[in-house]
Amino acid sequence: MSVFQRLKGFRDFLPKEQRARREVFDTIESVLQQYGFREIDLPALESLDLYMVKSGEELVEQTYSFQDKGGRDVTMTPEQTPSRARILANRKDLSTPVKWYSTSKRWRYESPQKDRLREFYQTDIDIFGADSVQADAEILAVTVDIMEALDVLDAVEVLVNDRRLLEGILATHDVEDTEPVMQVIDDREKMDAGTFREELQEAGLDQEQAENVDELTEIRGPLTETFDTIQDVAPDGDDAEDAIARLEELRDALEAYGIADQVVFDLSIVRGLAYYTGLVFEVFDTEGELRAVCGGGRYDELVDLFGGKQTPAIGLAIGDAVLEELMRREDVWPAEALQTDVYVLPVSEDVRTEVLELVRELRSTGLIVETDLSGRNVGSQFDYADTINAKQVIVVGKRDLENDVLTIKDMATGEEEQVPVGDVTRYVTDRLQ
Amino acid sequence: MSVFQRLKGFRDFLPKEQRARREVFDTIESVLQQYGFREIDLPALESLDLYMVKSGEELVEQTYSFQDKGGRDVTMTPEQTPSRARILANRKDLSTPVKWYSTSKRWRYESPQKDRLREFYQTDIDIFGADSVQADAEILAVTVDIMEALDVLDAVEVLVNDRRLLEGILATHDVEDTEPVMQVIDDREKMDAGTFREELQEAGLDQEQAENVDELTEIRGPLTETFDTIQDVAPDGDDAEDAIARLEELRDALEAYGIADQVVFDLSIVRGLAYYTGLVFEVFDTEGELRAVCGGGRYDELVDLFGGKQTPAIGLAIGDAVLEELMRREDVWPAEALQTDVYVLPVSEDVRTEVLELVRELRSTGLIVETDLSGRNVGSQFDYADTINAKQVIVVGKRDLENDVLTIKDMATGEEEQVPVGDVTRYVTDRLQ
């Protein structure tokens, strides 16, 4: 063992693992591209004050924040929303809606655990400048399509809520401290109805409010089936009424997208209340074993904080760690195997020229081709061809060249074929299609 | 303007710019993949001591190095070789040759200038565990192929040297301080032959050495044409002889790859002498305006320093900044335009369901499709469709649906066509092929 170790909470991805990860990222991005989301790429390091606008002092302790050589307080970006808000505030020329995504590294100074890393990837997707239910529906539709493209749609539930329903209940009487109420709602599944109501009252609700919350949390199912009931028990007030109107329009849009059955209403989805202004959603595995696979919501007032004009926004974030856990559990994580089309095997040094010419020709057709770089014997070269998972091995000996015929071995079947030198490229490309 | 600004030396890439950059990175990576180079992904943050092995104290001042919340001295990686060496030292199970690449962000605390950024991308390519000339040739071949794939091969020269030739000259007598000699050689083009020899003697060479260096630096041209002359004037000594033998074998391999004319011998290529142990190379624009586009060389003794077993290595690094300058100058930088296949335009809110169904169907064929998210009128929607560079716009009105015929506008020609609703998807996909 070397004296040098990787930092805890950080990961190395060597070729086999990286190939699988690349496939997952590519799948996510190709769905996003079909929706007209556009890739952006923003700095990994930003001024600390930009990132404190949203998160305040606690950010400093939970991030890699430091003073650079020039005395600037900077932070390795733990998320990307403040950077996006910075751009929106400075670039008045962007035509809306702005539909951005990026998959990039994020850093948080957390206690490293299995699914709490200090360096991780996150795909962030936002629509800025559209406050419509159509934008909400598009974010949910792309979420569902990504889950489907990753082959985990059957293993997850997309849970939605509108935080204003809960706010409406709390607003009917003055609940001073909403945090304990949220906590009780978050723990709903651990209690029976009686205990739940008691706990809500202990947390500061009166009896009527507690009943109202209980009724709403009882409703859980596809938005198509539950909407009428939600409407019946929704609290009064303009905001709650708007929430109901939007949920209805959302239901219709999701039906048109053909995904209404996949979207489940659940009042216990209360992520980051201070931040979100309307729809919130999270995707959970149906077995309830993992943290949220992804989530997001509408945050119409955030960009404002950064000095920009009021800009409605809805976003979605997908981290890599929980997603990988889920895909491995569901046995749909891509194969962690190298991909090589052809290995060209020189039997001796005196055939190098012909081998390199052949390698060059094969690569020019787009194939993945390797050859010996170490002067190894035939047996070692076959071992290496195995290691890199080569599909075909072309054996090139001096005698073969004299006879104008090369041996091509199919590594899956073990079958060998004699092929005239001039036909080798066509033979191999035919086999690999 | 917002109060929040980006840090100096950092860049934002919005969708149009990012699309071009993505195309460039994809081109580079697809060439690397054909050669059997495999993508890896390593931490952005590492222990400072790992990165000081190679670069020493000066590293601290030139990097984003800091103490994390746990008191560890860490650095945002300014390069990737030490991280790769760490892995090689810890993973004895890797079968060689290891052929790795990655395109990732790097950070250096430099004075920001046009082509000296504090955050930049670099593609690092290495072959570990093969000390053969075949490996050297493969690195040069992939370099040439990348330049060709990026359409800049005619605008650059690939300059090669073997640092042991120069060392051989200096070794024949004891030159104590080699640095001034390197500096003079580096400035060769600015002087006539007489001045050059004088400067070399001032830098510590005797008359014979100075003549020898002058003769070697006079040789400049494709390796195929210059090799015999290099051989004639090469200094004595085992290392120089080995250098000559390898240059000869390299010439033959480059000929087999069909790229011998693109590789030019140039003794003035003296990058990082302390680090490289044999072949060194750099790619310069032929007009001599820019810094090196990319470069690399053999460093057989470096991995050793990190506690691993002796591991021969040859590497290549391509930064994004100079490459972009060159490609822009040569007018081969990809178009910075958004790509959208279809915009589906609802004339009024009462056609939303049909529009979303159509959008969904079109996206399922793999097309990039957007629709209105803001309830805009027809004119504004056409403006937006222009902004996102939509190729086709499908207009969906209530009356159109009743008549079962939609209008499809080709945005390039302005031509409009009436198409039965059921034929729309096929019509559009046919047009876009």
Side-chain angles (χ1 to χ4, degrees):
Chain A
M1 287 278 270
S2 157
V3 289
F4 298 107
Q5 298 299 320
R6 191 172 64 226
L7 294 169
K8 283 209 177 66
F10 288 74
R11 296 169 292 177
D12 294 323
F13 298 107
L14 297 194
K16 289 181 192 176
E17 302 154 281
Q18 180 60 14
R19 207 203 67 77
R21 293 172 61 79
R22 173 64 61 189
E23 190 177 321
V24 169
F25 291 148
D26 285 350
T27 300
I28 293 172
E29 296 188 353
S30 73
V31 175
L32 289 168
Q33 284 159 13
Q34 282 167 23
Y35 275 75
F37 287 94
R38 320 290 176 170
E39 188 181 34
I40 59 170
D41 183 27
L42 304 184
L45 203 69
E46 292 264 18
S47 294
L48 181 59
D49 58 357
L50 173 69
Y51 272 73
M52 283 176 67
V53 170
K54 197 180 131 197
S55 308
E57 279 295 338
E58 69 179 289
L59 184 85
V60 183
E61 285 314 306
Q62 294 170 2
T63 55
Y64 286 93
S65 301
F66 60 98
Q67 209 167 59
D68 77 7
K69 311 287 174 214
R72 297 168 203 86
D73 287 315
V74 293
T75 188
M76 292 176 74
T77 56
E79 53 152 332
Q80 201 169 67
T81 305
S83 300
R84 295 185 181 194
R86 167 177 63 69
I87 294 171
L88 290 167
N90 282 298
R91 291 283 300 265
K92 314 290 187 198
D93 58 319
L94 298 173
S95 62
T96 56
V98 161
K99 295 168 70 176
W100 285 345
Y101 80 85
S102 70
T103 298
S104 53
K105 284 188 174 181
R106 301 297 149 73
W107 300 272
R108 293 195 187 196
Y109 194 77
E110 300 208 58
S111 301
Q113 295 167 23
K114 186 162 174 255
D115 54 358
R116 296 267 185 189
L117 295 156
R118 287 182 169 171
E119 177 178 77
F120 56 97
Y121 274 92
Q122 191 161 294
T123 306
D124 284 284
I125 301 116
D126 285 303
I127 302 175
F128 292 104
D131 64 3
S132 67
V133 175
Q134 298 304 322
D136 296 0
E138 185 158 278
I139 286 284
L140 288 174
V142 82
T143 303
V144 169
D145 273 1
I146 288 170
M147 294 299 121
E148 188 166 29
L150 295 173
D151 240 351
V152 291
L153 186 56
D154 291 343
V156 298
E157 274 184 330
V158 181
L159 307 179
V160 301
N161 185 20
D162 190 311
R163 55 159 259 167
R164 293 171 301 169
L165 291 176
L166 200 54
E167 281 183 341
I169 295 169
L170 302 181
T172 48
H173 299 269
D174 300 326
V175 178
E176 279 181 23
D177 187 5
T178 58
E179 205 50 53
V181 181
M182 301 304 155
Q183 196 55 55
V184 176
I185 293 172
D186 209 29
D187 293 342
R188 173 70 179 96
E189 285 181 15
K190 300 176 193 157
M191 320 170 218
D192 61 36
T195 318
F196 183 57
R197 291 185 188 198
E198 278 168 33
E199 297 262 338
L200 285 172
Q201 283 176 259
E202 272 179 42
L205 300 194
D206 64 25
Q207 195 184 339
E208 190 195 331
Q209 290 169 325
E211 278 168 22
N212 202 186
V213 168
D214 185 33
E215 278 170 358
L216 270 167
T217 52
E218 286 283 314
I219 308 166
R220 196 175 184 289
L223 196 54
T224 34
E225 296 168 18
T226 53
F227 176 76
D228 291 343
T229 322
I230 300 166
Q231 194 171 23
D232 288 345
V233 302
D236 296 330
D238 289 350
D239 275 355
E241 271 169 36
D242 188 52
I244 291 296
R246 288 182 72 106
L247 281 175
E248 183 170 24
E249 203 186 323
L250 182 67
R251 177 199 64 186
D252 296 345
L254 296 178
E255 276 174 351
Y257 272 121
I259 59 166
D261 293 344
Q262 267 85 42
V263 178
V264 169
F265 177 82
D266 186 332
L267 192 80
S268 74
I269 300 301
V270 290
R271 54 189 277 137
L273 267 185
Y275 181 123
Y276 291 103
T277 53
L279 183 76
V280 286
F281 63 96
E282 279 182 334
V283 176
F284 280 98
D285 71 303
T286 47
E287 300 192 6
E289 290 174 347
L290 308 172
R291 291 192 302 139
V293 178
C294 62
R298 179 163 282 286
Y299 52 105
D300 289 344
E301 286 158 19
L302 193 76
V303 173
D304 237 3
L305 287 181
F306 293 85
K309 64 176 180 208
Q310 157 98 45
T311 306
I314 180 160
L316 158 70
I318 311 172
D320 65 338
V322 180
L323 180 63
E324 180 175 339
E325 272 189 89
L326 174 69
M327 290 180 71
R328 286 187 186 279
R329 194 190 73 189
E330 296 297 313
D331 218 12
V332 293
W333 186 249
E336 295 192 336
L338 301 183
Q339 289 190 307
T340 310
D341 294 311
V342 183
Y343 181 86
V344 184
L345 189 157
V347 173
S348 50
E349 284 301 320
D350 53 4
V351 297
R352 279 287 178 195
T353 301
E354 292 81 358
V355 162
L356 293 182
E357 285 166 357
L358 179 58
V359 164
R360 180 193 179 204
E361 184 177 320
L362 291 166
R363 282 178 183 155
S364 74
T365 68
L367 294 178
I368 300 173
V369 183
E370 287 205 46
T371 186
D372 173 64
L373 299 178
S374 309
R376 282 177 175 147
N377 66 30
V378 173
S380 301
Q381 289 190 62
F382 266 112
D383 289 347
Y384 180 73
D386 252 345
T387 306
I388 61 172
N389 221 7
K391 295 191 190 101
Q392 308 268 336
V393 172
I394 306 176
V395 180
V396 183
K398 194 74 187 165
R399 180 87 62 87
D400 301 324
L401 290 171
E402 283 161 14
N403 296 335
D404 204 40
V405 170
L406 302 182
T407 304
I408 300 179
K409 182 170 179 178
D410 184 303
M411 296 293 277
T413 64
E415 199 184 308
E416 293 188 354
E417 193 85 42
Q418 308 291 317
V419 179
V421 171
D423 298 344
V424 164
T425 300
R426 188 186 302 171
Y427 176 91
V428 167
T429 49
D430 283 354
R431 282 290 169 295
L432 291 168
Q433 262 157 13
Chain B
M1 286 277 273
S2 156
V3 289
F4 297 107
Q5 299 299 320
R6 192 171 64 225
L7 293 169
K8 283 209 177 67
F10 289 74
R11 297 169 292 177
D12 294 323
F13 298 107
L14 296 195
K16 289 181 192 175
E17 300 155 280
Q18 180 61 12
R19 207 204 67 78
R21 294 172 60 79
R22 172 64 61 190
E23 189 176 319
V24 169
F25 292 148
D26 284 351
T27 300
I28 294 172
E29 296 188 354
S30 73
V31 175
L32 290 168
Q33 284 158 14
Q34 282 167 23
Y35 276 75
F37 287 94
R38 320 289 175 170
E39 189 182 33
I40 59 171
D41 184 26
L42 305 184
L45 202 69
E46 292 264 16
S47 293
L48 181 60
D49 57 359
L50 173 69
Y51 272 72
M52 283 176 66
V53 170
K54 196 180 133 195
S55 309
E57 280 295 338
E58 69 181 290
L59 183 85
V60 182
E61 285 313 305
Q62 294 170 2
T63 55
Y64 286 94
S65 300
F66 61 98
Q67 208 166 58
D68 77 8
K69 312 286 175 214
R72 297 170 204 87
D73 287 315
V74 295
T75 188
M76 292 176 75
T77 56
E79 52 152 333
Q80 200 169 66
T81 305
S83 300
R84 294 185 181 194
R86 167 176 64 68
I87 294 172
L88 290 167
N90 282 296
R91 292 283 300 265
K92 315 289 187 199
D93 59 319
L94 298 173
S95 62
T96 55
V98 161
K99 295 168 70 175
W100 284 346
Y101 80 85
S102 70
T103 299
S104 51
K105 285 189 172 180
R106 300 299 148 72
W107 301 272
R108 294 196 185 192
Y109 194 76
E110 301 207 58
S111 300
Q113 295 168 20
K114 185 160 173 255
D115 54 358
R116 297 266 185 188
L117 295 155
R118 287 181 170 172
E119 176 177 76
F120 56 97
Y121 274 91
Q122 190 161 293
T123 305
D124 285 284
I125 301 116
D126 285 303
I127 302 175
F128 292 105
D131 62 5
S132 68
V133 174
Q134 298 304 322
D136 297 0
E138 185 157 279
I139 285 284
L140 289 174
V142 82
T143 302
V144 169
D145 274 1
I146 287 169
M147 294 299 120
E148 188 164 29
L150 295 173
D151 240 351
V152 291
L153 187 55
D154 291 343
V156 298
E157 274 184 330
V158 181
L159 307 179
V160 301
N161 185 20
D162 190 309
R163 57 159 256 165
R164 292 171 301 168
L165 292 176
L166 201 53
E167 281 184 340
I169 296 169
L170 303 180
T172 49
H173 299 270
D174 299 327
V175 178
E176 277 181 24
D177 187 6
T178 58
E179 204 51 53
V181 181
M182 301 303 156
Q183 196 54 55
V184 175
I185 293 172
D186 209 28
D187 292 343
R188 173 70 179 96
E189 285 181 16
K190 300 175 193 159
M191 326 172 212
D192 61 35
T195 318
F196 183 56
R197 290 185 187 198
E198 277 168 33
E199 296 262 338
L200 284 172
Q201 284 176 260
E202 272 179 42
L205 300 193
D206 63 27
Q207 194 185 339
E208 190 195 332
Q209 290 169 325
E211 279 167 21
N212 202 185
V213 168
D214 184 33
E215 279 170 356
L216 271 166
T217 53
E218 286 282 314
I219 309 165
R220 197 175 184 287
L223 196 54
T224 34
E225 296 168 18
T226 52
F227 176 75
D228 291 342
T229 322
I230 300 168
Q231 193 171 24
D232 288 345
V233 302
D236 297 329
D238 289 351
D239 275 356
E241 271 169 35
D242 188 52
I244 291 297
R246 288 182 72 106
L247 280 176
E248 184 169 23
E249 204 186 324
L250 182 67
R251 177 199 62 186
D252 296 345
L254 297 178
E255 277 175 349
Y257 272 121
I259 60 165
D261 293 344
Q262 267 86 42
V263 178
V264 169
F265 177 81
D266 186 333
L267 192 80
S268 75
I269 299 302
V270 291
R271 53 189 280 136
L273 266 185
Y275 180 124
Y276 291 104
T277 54
L279 182 77
V280 286
F281 63 96
E282 279 182 334
V283 175
F284 281 97
D285 72 303
T286 47
E287 300 193 6
E289 289 173 349
L290 308 172
R291 291 193 302 138
V293 178
C294 60
R298 179 162 283 285
Y299 52 105
D300 289 343
E301 285 157 21
L302 192 76
V303 174
D304 237 3
L305 287 181
F306 292 85
K309 64 177 181 206
Q310 157 98 47
T311 305
I314 180 159
L316 157 70
I318 311 172
D320 65 339
V322 180
L323 179 62
E324 179 174 340
E325 274 189 87
L326 174 68
M327 290 180 72
R328 286 188 186 279
R329 194 190 74 187
E330 296 298 311
D331 218 11
V332 293
W333 186 249
E336 295 192 337
L338 300 183
Q339 290 190 305
T340 310
D341 294 312
V342 183
Y343 181 85
V344 184
L345 189 157
V347 173
S348 51
E349 284 301 320
D350 54 3
V351 298
R352 278 286 179 197
T353 301
E354 292 81 359
V355 162
L356 293 182
E357 285 166 355
L358 180 57
V359 164
R360 179 193 179 204
E361 184 177 321
L362 291 166
R363 282 177 183 154
S364 75
T365 69
L367 294 179
I368 300 172
V369 183
E370 288 205 48
T371 185
D372 173 64
L373 300 178
S374 309
R376 284 176 175 147
N377 66 28
V378 172
S380 302
Q381 289 191 61
F382 267 111
D383 289 346
Y384 179 73
D386 252 344
T387 307
I388 61 172
N389 221 7
K391 295 190 189 103
Q392 308 268 337
V393 173
I394 306 175
V395 180
V396 183
K398 194 74 187 165
R399 180 87 62 87
D400 302 324
L401 291 171
E402 282 159 14
N403 295 336
D404 204 39
V405 170
L406 302 182
T407 304
I408 300 179
K409 181 171 180 178
D410 184 304
M411 296 293 277
T413 64
E415 199 183 309
E416 292 187 357
E417 194 85 41
Q418 308 290 316
V419 180
V421 172
D423 298 343
V424 164
T425 299
R426 188 186 302 173
Y427 176 91
V428 168
T429 49
D430 283 354
R431 283 290 170 294
L432 291 168
Q433 263 157 11

